[in-house]
């Protein structure tokens, strides 16, 4: 199964055989977006177009697989940037038609969950999944990753990764900010500043039990930094990064563990770019251990966007006997998380 991922700024081409990863080739346009402080959709689309064929060639070469060896193609149908998705969907359709093999159009978010299968084996059913990326922060109940994903809650404003990127900007760190905050935070004091934990108390905990809000936290960090600057005092970047990161990971892991307990699902899987965060991984492990929950997090390279995740979900579709998608499958920029296949 060859999987293509083009929903954002990564051109990902992965090949899996069943539950074994053969190759995960990536071409990223992140450097082209860095000076704009965010992903520019048109730039991303053009970069996918340029990278697509060379990345497919690199993947097949490294895996020692000929195109004619492929049994099926999977592609991210959505959600994501419309123009970027279109490049991947068009490439996948062309390959499927040319090779005469079935095509599976799949959900990007379900793929972030399915990628862990090539790392840690079959997913327990049900699994509780927390997806934290630049565009999404969701808690999902996953009875079957190929067919049944239920949303328990999601962010009501900024995504977790978006908060990392915006706070990094306030601190003068490059885009994308997550990895830089992660690195800076190692030198900082995580209890130096008590930043707010959104939607974790009182009425909010009833109304928004499994939802997240990071916009207030981002504003609190910006105000704190501005006050320091206005007073002519130096900004302790490492302490701010560590304290901000602590607030985000505290809320995420607290709600994820609560969702596991309340739904009686003692398996938690974390995916998406923010799952690469070292503090989130450590805190999730501590809290899951204390609660008797089995935690699965893929290695950092498989948490951020890649083609292996799409190939992994596609392979599961075949293993579970799901019918392929139609050849006119859409690039659906707002594909709901509950729709696994297009
Ligand atoms: O899943 P992903 O590659 O793309 C989306 O689907 O959004 O996630 C990218 C996001 C960015 O916001 C980036 O800052 C964040 O993941 N990220 C991290 C780390 N590595 C990537 N955030 C915190 N800590 C990290 N180590
Ligand atoms: Zn993603």
């Amino acid at each position: 199964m060859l999987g293509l991922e083009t929903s954002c700024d990564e051109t990902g081409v992965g090949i899996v055989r069943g539950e074994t990863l053969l190759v995960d080739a990536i071409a990223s346009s992140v450097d082209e977006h860095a000076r704009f402080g965010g992903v520019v959709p048109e730039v991303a689309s053009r970069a996918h177009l340029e990278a697509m064929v060379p990345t497919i060639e690199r993947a097949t070469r490294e895996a020692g697989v000929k195109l004619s060896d492929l049994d099926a193609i999977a592609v991210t149908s959505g959600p994501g940037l419309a123009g970027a998705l279109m490049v991947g969907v068009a490439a996948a359709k062309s390959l499927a038609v040319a090779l005469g093999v079935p095509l599976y159009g799949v959900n990007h978010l379900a793929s972030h969950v399915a990628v862990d299968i090539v790392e840690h084996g079959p997913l327990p059913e049900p699994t509780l999944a927390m997806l934290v990326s630049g565009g999404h922060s969701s808690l999902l109940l996953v009875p079957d990753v190929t067919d049944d994903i239920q949303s328990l809650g999601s962010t009501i404003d900024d995504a977790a990764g978006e908060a990392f990127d915006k706070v990094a900007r306030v601190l003068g760190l490059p885009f994308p900010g997550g990895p830089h905050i992660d690195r800076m935070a190692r030198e900082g004091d995580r209890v130096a500043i008590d930043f707010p934990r959104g939607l974790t108390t009182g009425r909010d905990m009833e109304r928004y039990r499994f939802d997240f809000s990071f916009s207030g936290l981002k504003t609190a960090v910006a105000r704190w930094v501005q006050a320091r600057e206005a007073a002519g005092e130096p900004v302790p970047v490492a302490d701010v990064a560590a304290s901000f990161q602590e607030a985000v990971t505290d809320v995420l892991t607290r709600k994820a563990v609560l969702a596991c307990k309340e739904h009686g699902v003692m398996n938690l899987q974390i995916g998406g770019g923010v799952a690469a965060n070292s503090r989130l991984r450590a805190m999730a492990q501590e809290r899951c251990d204390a609660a008797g929950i089995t935690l699965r997090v893929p290695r950092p390279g498989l948490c951020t966007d890649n083609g292996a995740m799409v190939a992994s979900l596609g392979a599961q579709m075949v293993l579970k006997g799901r019918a392929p998608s139609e050849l006119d499958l859409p690039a659906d920029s707002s594909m709901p998380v509950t729709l696994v296949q297009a």
Side-chain angles (χ1 to χ4, degrees), residues 137-198:
S137 315
S138 308
L139 277 172
L140 307 169
L141 181 61
V142 186
D144 179 348
V145 72
T146 66
D147 169 59
D148 186 5
I149 297 187
Q150 298 157 25
S151 176
L152 301 180
S154 59
T155 181
I156 61 168
D157 41 56
D158 292 353
E162 198 179 348
F164 270 93
D165 296 340
K166 288 177 176 170
V167 164
R169 198 169 183 172
V170 167
L171 294 176
L173 301 170
F175 173 85
H180 297 283
I181 290 194
D182 196 345
R183 187 173 38 76
M184 290 299 302
R186 281 177 207 166
E187 317 292 319
D189 177 2
R190 20 187 219 246
V191 295
I193 310 151
D194 189 17
F195 286 128
R197 271 71 167 156

Side-chain angles (χ1 to χ4, degrees), residues 104-122:
Y104 292 82
V106 298
N107 189 302
H108 178 80
L109 302 167
S111 304
H112 269 304
V113 180
V115 72
D116 198 48
I117 295 169
V118 297
E119 181 104 320
H120 296 119

Side-chain angles (χ1 to χ4, degrees), residues 27-177:
S28 177
S29 61
V30 69
D31 293 343
E32 294 175 54
H33 307 287
R35 69 193 168 101
F36 301 106
V39 175
V40 183
E42 184 59 22
V43 172
S45 310
R46 285 172 190 276
H48 286 307
L49 212 47
E50 284 166 18
M52 183 56 71
V53 172
T55 312
I56 292 173
E57 284 172 351
R58 178 154 58 90
T60 49
R61 192 172 58 240
E62 285 176 12
V65 166
K66 293 193 291 293
L67 283 180
S68 56
D69 295 331
L70 297 172
D71 293 317
I73 309 291
V75 63
T76 302
S77 183
L81 303 170
L85 288 168
M86 264 180 237
V87 178
V89 168
K93 287 178 181 176
S94 314
L95 272 177
V97 170
L99 300 171
V101 296
L103 173 64
Y104 292 82
V106 298
N107 189 302
H108 178 80
L109 302 167
S111 304
H112 269 304
V113 180
V115 72
D116 198 48
I117 295 169
V118 297
E119 181 104 320
H120 296 119
L123 266 189
E125 294 181 342
T127 282
L128 211 132
M130 179 163 73
L131 275 190
V132 276
S133 71
H136 302 272
S137 315
S138 308
L139 277 172
L140 307 169
L141 181 61
V142 186
D144 179 348
V145 72
T146 66
D147 169 59
D148 186 5
I149 297 187
Q150 298 157 25
S151 176
L152 301 180
S154 59
T155 181
I156 61 168
D157 41 56
D158 292 353
E162 198 179 348
F164 270 93
D165 296 340
K166 288 177 176 170
V167 164
R169 198 169 183 172
V170 167
L171 294 176
L173 301 170
F175 173 85

